[in-house]
Amino acid sequence: MLFRSRQLTQLPEVRYVIIRLARVPFVDQSGAYALDEAVRLLEERGVCVLVSGLQEQPGDLLRRLGIVPQRISEERTFANFGEAIEFVQEHVAEPPAK
C-alpha cells in the first residue's frame, strides 16, 4: 500500500473516496500508518473517506493502532463496496461531516 501526498493533492475535486481493501488480507504497521496519513491528507481537503472490505488482520491492526475509530470511524467502514456506494448515494446531497 503506497500513498504519496503529492498524488493525493492532485486529485480532482471529490467529496468521497472509497478505499477498497477486500483484496488486502494483510497490512503491516508501516502500511497502516501510510493509510492513516493518506486519510488525514484527504480529510484536510474536505474529502469523506470510506473503507470497504476490511479483512480480519488489517482491521485488527487498524483498531489496535487506533486508526479505526480515531481516523476512520466505524460508521465509515463497510463490509463491501456496494454498501459504501449506498452510503455515498444517501449522503451525496449533504456535505461530508468531519
Side-chain angles (χ1 to χ4, degrees):
M1 207 185 280
L2 178 62
F3 297 100
R4 297 175 195 253
S5 58
R6 193 176 96 226
Q7 290 171 328
L8 291 175
T9 59
Q10 292 176 350
L11 287 174
E13 286 299 314
V14 295
R15 291 179 52 200
Y16 295 91
V17 168
I18 302 171
I19 299 176
R20 299 173 75 174
L21 297 176
R23 294 184 181 174
V24 181
F26 178 82
V27 173
D28 64 9
Q29 192 166 342
S30 63
Y33 286 128
L35 176 63
D36 183 53
E37 177 69 4
V39 173
R40 183 187 66 78
L41 290 169
L42 288 165
E43 288 178 340
E44 284 178 358
R45 294 186 58 214
V47 176
C48 176
V49 179
L50 312 173
V51 174
S52 71
L54 188 57
Q55 295 190 42
E56 185 176 353
Q57 186 278 337
D60 290 345
L61 179 61
L62 294 176
R63 286 178 182 90
R64 193 170 70 244
L65 296 174
I67 296 168
V68 173
Q70 292 170 351
R71 177 75 63 199
I72 304 166
S73 69
E74 291 285 353
E75 294 79 27
R76 294 198 177 155
T77 62
F78 299 89
N80 58 60
F81 185 66
E83 289 179 8
I85 291 292
E86 287 177 22
F87 176 91
V88 172
Q89 290 172 335
E90 290 171 5
H91 295 87
V92 76
E94 303 172 16
K98 293 192 176 194

